[in-house]
Amino acid sequence: MIFRRLALPLALALISTTALAQTPIDPLDARDARRLDRMEQVMRELRAIVFQGRDSGKPVVIQPAETDYQLQELTRRLGELEQSLTRMTGDLESATRDGELARRENEALKGQIKSLSDKIAAFETRAAAAEIPVDAGLPAPELSGAPPTQTATETFNQARQLMLSGDYDGAEAGFRAYVARYGDSLKAPEARYWLGKTLSARAAHAEAAGAYIGAIRGWPATPWAPDAVVELARALIQIKKPADACQTLAEFSRRYPKAPPAVQGRAAAARSQAKCAA
């Protein structure tokens, strides 16, 4: 059907072309001649397409040019690629900055840890120079003789009960015995803390300061640790060491910012008593 519809127009075109070809051409009209040759070439190509379609039985389909669309699509994809590269470059720069920041923070943290370690060492040195012995007044561990009749837990609990009942002398003896026998146990720092409490109760402030220093060595994160630091500051005030007391209270604020309100209140009172700088 397609061939029949195209056959008549093609035939007329061929006749017209042939007639034009037989007409003498003015030598001066070379451009028209070239234009005519191109038209004849196009007609020959069109006729070949038509006959090819007739012989194959397939319809003749003339595809539109897709060059502009392909160029637009290529431009779009290049734009997306540029955007992806830009994002990747930004992510890489951000990761580099984060890594550098983390390195600087790590170096700063190392410096702070070293500074705090130096402060603790200096404080212990000053405590020794001021004749505040850590574990002051504790008897030497038993190296011989009959073994204790109580376990570590029983000794600790009995001393604690004596203290709660108001028997500070009995509690002091019990905690001294515990530290002497079980000075390397997990409960030993707490036993030193309670021993310091009994010593403070009878105004043995120098010995109490030594007990508190032994209790808070390593700055433990325990419920009693903030109170032990404040009690150490108060003992230092009593033995005329206000500068050391202020340094201790400064460490208290840094180490235990979430201490109970009652403990923070006593710390504030101790700062005022020691006339610490704001």
Side-chain angles (χ1 to χ4, degrees), residues 6 12 20-21 35 63 100 113 117 145 179 194 222 248 255 261 269:
L6 293 175
L12 293 175
L20 290 173
R35 188 179 297 110
Q63 298 289 346
E100 179 64 18
I113 292 174
S117 298
V179 173
W194 291 115
T222 59
T248 301
R255 296 284 182 171

Side-chain angles (χ1 to χ4, degrees), residues 172-232:
E172 178 184 339
F175 286 123
R176 284 182 185 277
Y178 184 92
V179 173
R181 296 170 183 167
Y182 312 108
D184 294 330
S185 67
L186 295 177
K187 296 284 285 185
E190 184 178 359
R192 289 183 172 91
Y193 161 65
W194 291 115
L195 174 60
K197 284 282 196 179
T198 64
L199 293 168
S200 294
R202 63 180 182 84
H205 299 298
E207 292 181 88
Y212 292 132
I213 291 173
I216 64 173
R217 181 176 290 150
W219 305 102
T222 59
W224 51 265
D227 185 71
V229 177
V230 175
E231 288 297 320
L232 171 59

Side-chain angles (χ1 to χ4, degrees), residues 130-154:
E131 299 181 351
I132 306 174
V134 178
D135 297 340
L138 295 179
E142 296 177 2
L143 301 179
S144 61
T149 57
Q150 290 181 318
T151 64
T153 301
E154 290 172 344

Side-chain angles (χ1 to χ4, degrees), residues 28-277:
L28 297 177
D29 198 4
R31 288 179 299 177
D32 292 341
R34 287 195 299 270
R35 188 179 297 110
L36 182 60
D37 290 339
R38 287 196 298 271
M39 291 177 62
E40 289 179 349
Q41 183 180 358
V42 171
M43 292 302 299
R44 285 195 297 272
E45 292 175 355
L46 182 59
R47 182 173 57 183
I49 293 173
V50 171
F51 283 116
Q52 182 181 3
R54 182 197 62 183
D55 295 339
S56 63
K58 297 179 180 180
V60 179
V61 179
I62 300 175
Q63 298 289 346
E66 297 184 355
T67 304
D68 292 341
Y69 170 77
Q70 292 175 348
L71 287 175
Q72 293 175 359
E73 183 67 13
L74 181 59
T75 301
R76 184 185 65 81
R77 293 182 179 179
L78 286 175
E80 291 179 351
L81 180 59
E82 290 178 355
Q83 292 178 359
S84 298
L85 289 175
T86 301
R87 287 194 299 269
M88 291 175 63
T89 302
D91 293 342
L92 181 59
E93 292 177 352
S94 178
T96 302
R97 288 194 300 270
D98 292 344
E100 179 64 18
L101 180 60
R103 185 187 67 79
R104 292 179 181 177
E105 290 178 347
N106 187 41
E107 292 296 330
L109 182 60
K110 288 181 180 179
Q112 292 175 1
I113 292 174
K114 184 178 183 303
S115 177
L116 289 174
S117 298
D118 293 343
K119 287 180 180 179
I120 293 173
F123 180 76
E124 291 180 344
T125 301
R126 287 195 301 272
E131 299 181 351
I132 306 174
V134 178
D135 297 340
L138 295 179
E142 296 177 2
L143 301 179
S144 61
T149 57
Q150 290 181 318
T151 64
T153 301
E154 290 172 344
T155 302
F156 184 93
N157 290 341
Q158 183 181 36
R160 184 78 175 91
Q161 189 60 42
L162 289 171
M163 186 171 182
L164 292 175
S165 65
D167 185 357
Y168 291 103
D169 291 339
E172 178 184 339
F175 286 123
R176 284 182 185 277
Y178 184 92
V179 173
R181 296 170 183 167
Y182 312 108
D184 294 330
S185 67
L186 295 177
K187 296 284 285 185
E190 184 178 359
R192 289 183 172 91
Y193 161 65
W194 291 115
L195 174 60
K197 284 282 196 179
T198 64
L199 293 168
S200 294
R202 63 180 182 84
H205 299 298
E207 292 181 88
Y212 292 132
I213 291 173
I216 64 173
R217 181 176 290 150
W219 305 102
T222 59
W224 51 265
D227 185 71
V229 177
V230 175
E231 288 297 320
L232 171 59
R234 295 177 65 184
L236 291 170
I237 293 171
Q238 294 298 324
I239 60 175
K240 310 303 181 184
K241 297 291 181 181
D244 290 337
C246 290
Q247 183 178 355
T248 301
L249 292 168
E251 287 297 323
F252 164 79
S253 298
R254 283 192 291 269
R255 296 284 182 171
Y256 307 108
K258 297 182 179 180
V263 178
Q264 293 192 21
R266 287 191 294 109
R271 287 191 191 93
S272 178
Q273 185 178 0
K275 297 181 180 180
C276 300

